[in-house]
Amino acid sequence: MGAVRATDEERRVGHGEVILDVENLVKYFPLRRGFAQSLKGGPDLAVKAVDGVTFNVKKGELFGVVGESGCGKTTMGRTILRLLEPTDGKVVFEDTDVTALDPEEVKKLRRRMQIIFQDPYESMNPRLDVSRIIAEPLRIQGIVKNAVDARPYIEKALEDVEMTPPEEYLFRYPHELSGGQRQRIAVARALVLDPEFIVADEPVSMLDVSIRGEILNLMLNLCRERGVTFLYITHDLATARHICDRIAVMYLGKIVEKGPTDSLVKHPLHPYTRALIGAVFVPDPKKKGFGKVLSGEVPNPVNPPSGCRLHPRCPVCRDICKEVEPELVEAENNHMVACHFALG
Amino acid sequence: MSKNGAQNGISAPTFWEQYKRKPLGMVGLFIVLVYIFVAIFAPFLTPYNPKQILLADRIAAPVWFRSVVPQYNDAPSTVRTDLGPNEWTVSEATGGKLSSQEQDGKTITVIGFDPVFSGDVIAEGEADAFEDSEFADAYEKEPDMSVVELSYVVPYTYSPPKTFGLTFNYWIDASPDSKTELQFVIETPEGKEFNLWGKSYSGALGSQPARIDSRDLTLKQRLGLTIFDDPAPRIFSSKGDYRLVLTAKATSGEEPTRVCISDTVFYIPGMVHGVLGADHMGADLWAQLVYGTRISLSIGLSAAAISVAVGTAVGIICGYLGGVVDEFMMRVVDVLMAIPTLPILIILGAILGKSVWNIVLLISAFAWMGTARLVRSQTLSLRERVFVEAAKASGASDAYVMITHILPNVLPLVFAGMVLRIPSAILTEASLSFLGLGDPRVATWGRMLHNARGFGAFTTLAWWWLVPPGLAITFLSLAFVFIGNTVNEILNPRYRERS
């Protein structure tokens, strides 16, 4: 994956204008209760998937969101795109308040914000061929009326994802393509509307390690050369580290640490980040990680722990952690952390 | 990948490859193709129209019974002759002649009698004759009648028939002072004469029907038989040439007398008829069976198509939109499913009237719920698939997602369901027809069974009337079940054999 590694020069940190501003974003999924239970009263229960997330993404940036399964990162990605309705909070894309748009305006917004899904085997209708899959956004948006009009757009999108010659792939069905090719098609579908912002939701986690690099490279190139802004959601800190300019670490619906990639990876301040880094496999027997891997399971997001949400699993937990929820504060230059005992 | 393959469905060539390997499916397909062939080429498979009656005696046996069943060795085929002016032979004509006339598209047999010469002419030419006043008086009182005798030879080579009939219409144009006598006689090969019918009139007469039927009591009396005797076997007791003789005698008044006869039909109903015999009206059963294929296939296919289309639409809309619409429609489905179908169809069929399309709509109205549930459950899983979310992420509307993404993915399931829905539609239609709620204007298999039950096929053991429609329904339904199960096996992963 050497080719993927972004150079330090490329990691443009802390400059450029903000393209996406997420403010205290909250997404709860109410639990359905039986009639008898609702008679009993008590508070309405909900899965607190995203519980007050604030961050911004700058134009032309590759912003990484890292977290365990079930920490709410995918929900957050979809809520930002209004694929899910936010419970609270605000998402401002350029100057548009995404959360306040009516359906007609959301449809227009789709041209500028797109998404790449995790599973390339699932994200395409098995009954449509490549040309129709890629042309679908164009048709829905009314940009083209028929297959002939769509052809140049499709070919360009296929070239953008380095599937050449395009004619070879146009009329294939998803099941005739490999996983990597499918994910390229998924990227091409996201690109065909020429969006400014793409949420990449674990785009490589379902792929073989050997082809992950290709897709990551592709994203990096699109970001650097075409200036597409990416929100890269992953559970794999290693891949995020290789391509992202900035990284936010999520735990149980909250951001616990965020900062420029180098600073965050080399000087992790939050015990959870340290644990994540410690869990990354390093192909060097002499090197040791930052410490122990966390024990235990992620707690139930219906009833998150009081105080600091990590405290039942945290190796440095003290009494205050159980009662007071730590704020996200700036510890170093642009490097924020939410921990009472942020590690130096 | 395996999970994926199961959900992918199958392209048409692959489907056929797999279908070919299933023997039951091929048998079903073959049977259905045979039925379709019969339905399309019905007019070429039978010379008769299913509604044409009096083709043979009631419940006539199939014609091949002659060589199989001893009693039927010589059984009569239908003898039916339309007698027009060209058929008749004039065997005697004094003072009259046979001619023909076209009227209202019919050819009418006209027996025209010579006009009487006017008084002056008679006086001049035959003055001597009138000198004897006695003779003259006698002449005045009983003038000689002119006679025209027409005959027609019917060769009859079978065992004695049960009945025969002769029908015609006649009228007389004549002066009021004229007299006319008409008589119909059958002459047997042995020379015996049976005087079937006779009338005498004076003056003109409007059109009259004459219906001679061997079962008629007046005919039996006329022939000197008791009411328990059958004239037909007595008259047609031997094989040979029978002569039908029509004798007309008349005097002419001021204008010449004309006896006109139209629509003359001589008819001995056959006791054997066609491939499958005849029903109680003497209609051809093979024709009914063959034309019934058309009705059963079209009712089966259209009812299945309509019910599946409705079921699919309801299922997709309910499954995709969910919420109140879904709850409401699913309760409607529950209610409709709880209603026993046949009784409600009987009531509604009686209220709405007996037409084929009513029946199709009724059957469809009570057959879409299963499909709706099936499609809804499939849609519930499909709408959570990522490609649906991908479409939404591009701004797709609900209608777009339902048509482009959900529908193509439920179609294979629906297709197999539709094939399996056909036999039940066919059976329902047959049941309704059997109960007498079918369209009375069309021949269907259910109607054949209805008639067979109601008009004596059971009591006379006329199995050739009962069994063929039953088998036709059975085999057609079975064939569709074979096809449906095979399609299901191929398209529906749940039914796929694990091997």
Side-chain angles (χ1 to χ4, degrees):
Chain A
M1 278 206 274
V4 177
R5 180 181 289 274
T7 62
D8 287 339
E9 288 79 33
E10 281 169 339
R11 295 197 163 142
R12 296 159 297 168
V13 175
H15 63 80
E17 55 186 296
V18 170
I19 191 171
L20 180 82
D21 195 14
V22 178
E23 230 173 90
N24 191 33
L25 187 68
V26 176
K27 176 66 188 173
Y28 290 169
F29 294 102
L31 288 181
R32 236 195 211 198
R33 296 198 299 174
F35 181 66
Q37 270 177 303
S38 66
L39 280 184
K40 260 192 256 169
D44 284 337
L45 297 179
V47 174
K48 293 165 182 165
V50 180
D51 201 1
V53 165
T54 303
F55 66 93
N56 59 48
V57 181
K58 299 193 172 80
K59 212 165 204 166
E61 186 182 35
L62 242 162
F63 188 88
V65 175
V66 183
E68 274 173 289
S69 307
C71 73
K73 53 193 191 302
T74 296
T75 306
M76 185 192 75
R78 291 182 188 193
T79 314
I80 288 171
L81 291 182
R82 277 279 299 268
L83 286 173
L84 297 171
E85 293 299 318
T87 309
D88 195 12
K90 221 170 151 187
V91 176
V92 179
F93 177 70
E94 297 213 302
D95 291 325
T96 323
D97 184 354
V98 175
T99 46
L101 294 181
D102 62 39
E104 210 35 55
E105 290 168 319
V106 168
K107 187 174 172 182
K108 277 186 201 151
L109 186 75
R110 301 273 181 241
R111 291 194 196 184
R112 305 171 63 195
M113 299 171 92
Q114 273 291 319
I115 181 166
I116 301 166
F117 292 95
Q118 174 178 15
D119 187 348
Y121 298 100
E122 266 286 300
S123 66
M124 286 163 213
N125 188 336
R127 292 180 192 281
L128 301 183
D129 65 16
V130 166
S131 67
R132 289 192 60 192
I133 290 169
I134 299 180
E136 183 172 60
L138 295 168
R139 289 192 179 216
I140 292 170
Q141 292 290 342
I143 294 170
V144 298
K145 290 274 174 280
N146 53 47
V148 180
D149 292 351
R151 191 68 176 267
Y153 290 91
I154 300 167
E155 286 182 359
K156 182 169 180 304
L158 282 172
E159 277 161 14
D160 284 344
V161 296
E162 291 153 28
M163 288 186 84
T164 46
E167 302 82 53
E168 201 177 305
Y169 300 99
L170 277 175
F171 302 110
R172 297 229 202 144
Y173 283 85
H175 64 92
E176 297 170 311
L177 301 171
S178 70
Q181 286 173 326
R182 284 177 179 223
Q183 199 59 302
R184 282 169 191 270
I185 299 297
V187 176
R189 172 171 63 187
L191 282 178
V192 77
L193 289 175
D194 201 17
E196 296 143 64
F197 176 74
I198 295 177
V199 173
D201 184 6
E202 308 224 29
V204 297
S205 68
M206 298 294 285
L207 302 179
D208 287 349
V209 177
S210 58
I211 48 179
R212 285 185 185 177
E214 295 175 23
I215 301 293
L216 293 174
N217 241 346
L218 180 65
M219 283 169 54
L220 199 58
N221 285 341
L222 289 169
C223 180
R224 297 292 178 256
E225 282 161 26
R226 288 187 42 181
V228 181
T229 310
F230 277 92
L231 181 72
Y232 174 55
I233 295 170
T234 181
H235 62 268
D236 184 0
L237 189 58
T239 59
R241 172 188 183 176
H242 280 291
I243 63 166
C244 292
D245 300 310
R246 287 194 299 151
I247 293 177
V249 178
M250 267 184 91
Y251 182 75
L252 264 186
K254 281 198 179 284
I255 289 180
V256 293
E257 185 171 4
K258 69 178 176 191
T261 303
D262 275 342
S263 162
L264 186 127
V265 172
K266 287 180 183 152
H267 313 288
L269 299 174
H270 199 281
Y272 181 67
T273 315
R274 295 185 69 127
L276 280 184
I277 292 168
V280 172
F281 177 72
V282 183
D284 183 352
K286 289 172 199 160
K287 242 183 184 172
K288 286 195 175 172
F290 280 100
K292 281 186 201 166
V293 173
L294 291 181
S295 59
E297 293 286 315
V298 180
N300 185 352
V302 178
N303 267 320
S306 60
C308 174
R309 297 187 170 196
L310 186 65
H311 83 252
R313 304 170 73 192
C314 184
V316 293
C317 169
R318 313 237 180 108
D319 286 345
I320 183 176
C321 299
K322 295 175 187 168
E323 283 148 26
V324 182
E325 193 169 347
E327 294 287 317
L328 196 62
V329 292
E330 186 158 359
E332 292 171 16
N333 186 26
N334 287 325
H335 191 153
M336 321 265 282
V337 65
C339 181
H340 296 298
F341 307 98
L343 309 157
Chain B
M1 277 297 258
S2 65
K3 151 194 102 171
N4 210 47
Q7 287 166 345
N8 265 352
I10 290 162
S11 65
T14 333
F15 175 80
W16 178 236
E17 278 301 311
Q18 294 198 20
Y19 191 93
K20 267 199 294 195
R21 276 188 255 128
K22 314 268 184 184
L24 275 186
M26 290 308 281
V27 169
L29 191 65
F30 175 74
I31 297 175
V32 169
L33 287 178
V34 168
Y35 275 91
I36 290 174
F37 176 85
V38 169
I40 292 173
F41 294 101
F44 300 100
L45 293 173
T46 168
Y48 304 106
N49 180 316
K51 288 181 224 165
Q52 206 176 331
I53 59 167
L54 296 178
L55 289 170
D57 196 14
R58 59 188 303 272
I59 321 187
V63 96
W64 45 266
F65 265 39
R66 278 201 186 125
S67 45
V68 180
V69 186
Q71 308 80 300
Y72 283 94
N73 267 341
D74 275 344
S77 287
T78 301
V79 176
R80 187 190 184 96
T81 327
D82 292 302
L83 294 168
N86 300 328
E87 279 77 27
W88 290 112
T89 330
V90 182
S91 44
E92 187 192 337
T94 49
K97 63 181 192 324
L98 174 69
S99 63
S100 68
Q101 183 188 323
E102 293 287 330
Q103 186 182 319
D104 301 336
K106 291 180 200 161
T107 309
I108 290 158
T109 310
V110 179
I111 303 167
F113 290 94
D114 297 340
V116 173
F117 295 110
S118 68
D120 294 347
V121 177
I122 293 168
E124 268 177 39
E126 293 180 51
D128 295 340
F130 285 96
E131 279 175 7
D132 187 337
S133 63
E134 265 186 43
F135 185 81
D137 286 349
Y139 189 79
E140 287 290 332
K141 278 174 191 167
E142 282 184 30
D144 265 349
M145 294 184 107
S146 305
V147 177
V148 173
E149 187 183 283
L150 304 177
S151 64
Y152 179 76
V153 175
V154 182
Y156 187 77
T157 55
Y158 310 108
S159 59
K162 283 199 242 165
T163 61
F164 70 89
L166 179 67
T167 59
F168 56 93
N169 293 328
Y170 62 99
W171 63 96
I172 302 167
D173 301 331
S175 309
D177 56 340
S178 66
K179 277 189 173 173
T180 314
E181 282 176 35
L182 294 170
Q183 196 176 46
F184 236 113
V185 173
I186 289 186
E187 219 178 283
T188 65
E190 293 87 24
K192 242 173 133 185
E193 288 191 357
F194 290 93
N195 189 340
L196 298 179
W197 181 82
K199 295 274 183 197
S200 58
Y201 297 101
S202 30
L205 180 72
S207 183
Q208 295 284 319
R211 302 277 177 267
I212 303 166
D213 189 311
S214 70
R215 290 165 295 189
D216 208 356
L217 285 182
T218 49
L219 178 68
K220 291 180 184 178
Q221 283 174 340
R222 186 183 181 86
L223 294 173
L225 301 171
T226 70
I227 57 168
F228 303 109
D229 287 321
D230 269 332
R234 284 166 192 267
I235 298 173
F236 294 93
S237 58
S238 59
K239 298 175 187 173
D241 290 344
Y242 288 78
R243 274 181 80 220
L244 302 180
V245 182
L246 170 64
T247 314
K249 297 179 184 173
T251 58
S252 288
E254 275 172 20
E255 58 176 300
T257 301
R258 289 168 81 237
V259 176
C260 301
I261 300 169
S262 71
D263 303 305
T264 314
V265 178
F266 176 69
Y267 172 61
I268 302 177
M271 287 161 72
V272 293
H273 171 81
V275 184
L276 276 183
D279 70 2
H280 63 295
M281 303 282 280
D284 189 71
L285 286 174
W286 172 244
Q288 292 182 7
L289 192 74
V290 163
Y291 280 90
T293 313
R294 289 184 166 185
I295 303 295
S296 286
L297 271 180
S298 49
I299 285 183
L301 290 173
S302 47
I306 292 173
S307 66
V308 163
V310 172
T312 308
V314 170
I316 288 181
I317 290 170
C318 287
Y320 189 77
L321 296 182
V324 183
V325 180
D326 184 30
E327 278 296 321
F328 176 74
M329 285 313 293
M330 285 304 114
R331 293 300 80 75
V332 170
V333 164
D334 290 343
V335 169
L336 284 179
M337 279 186 134
I339 296 175
T341 311
L342 201 57
I344 196 91
L345 284 185
I346 290 171
I347 294 169
L348 289 178
I351 294 170
L352 294 178
K354 303 168 171 183
S355 87
V356 170
W357 284 109
N358 268 351
I359 287 168
V360 167
L361 290 179
L362 281 178
I363 294 174
S364 319
F366 288 90
W368 57 270
M369 296 85 72
T371 315
R373 275 193 177 172
L374 186 76
V375 169
R376 175 180 172 269
S377 67
Q378 192 72 10
T379 307
L380 284 178
S381 107
L382 281 168
R383 75 169 182 190
E384 303 298 333
R385 297 277 292 270
V386 182
F387 57 78
V388 169
E389 198 174 9
K392 283 195 210 155
S394 300
S397 62
D398 288 345
Y400 177 91
V401 172
M402 285 190 257
I403 291 166
T404 318
H405 291 294
I406 311 280
L407 183 63
N409 282 296
V410 296
L411 272 187
L413 198 73
V414 161
F415 177 63
M418 188 183 112
V419 178
L420 287 174
R421 191 81 51 204
I422 296 172
S424 64
I426 290 173
L427 287 173
T428 312
E429 186 278 326
S431 317
L432 286 175
S433 290
F434 176 71
L435 293 171
L437 294 159
D439 190 334
R441 291 163 298 185
V442 293
T444 71
W445 297 333
R447 183 146 202 90
M448 283 176 80
L449 288 171
H450 170 74
N451 290 341
R453 194 198 68 83
F455 299 101
F458 287 88
T459 46
T460 54
L461 293 179
W463 58 265
W464 57 89
W465 190 358
L466 285 172
V467 176
L471 285 184
I473 295 171
T474 311
F475 279 115
L476 186 57
S477 306
L478 198 63
F480 277 117
V481 170
F482 283 163
I483 294 177
N485 282 344
T486 310
V487 169
N488 237 346
E489 254 174 51
I490 297 170
L491 293 181
N492 214 336
R494 242 181 305 165
Y495 297 99
R496 215 173 282 173
E497 289 165 40
R498 305 257 170 249
S499 56

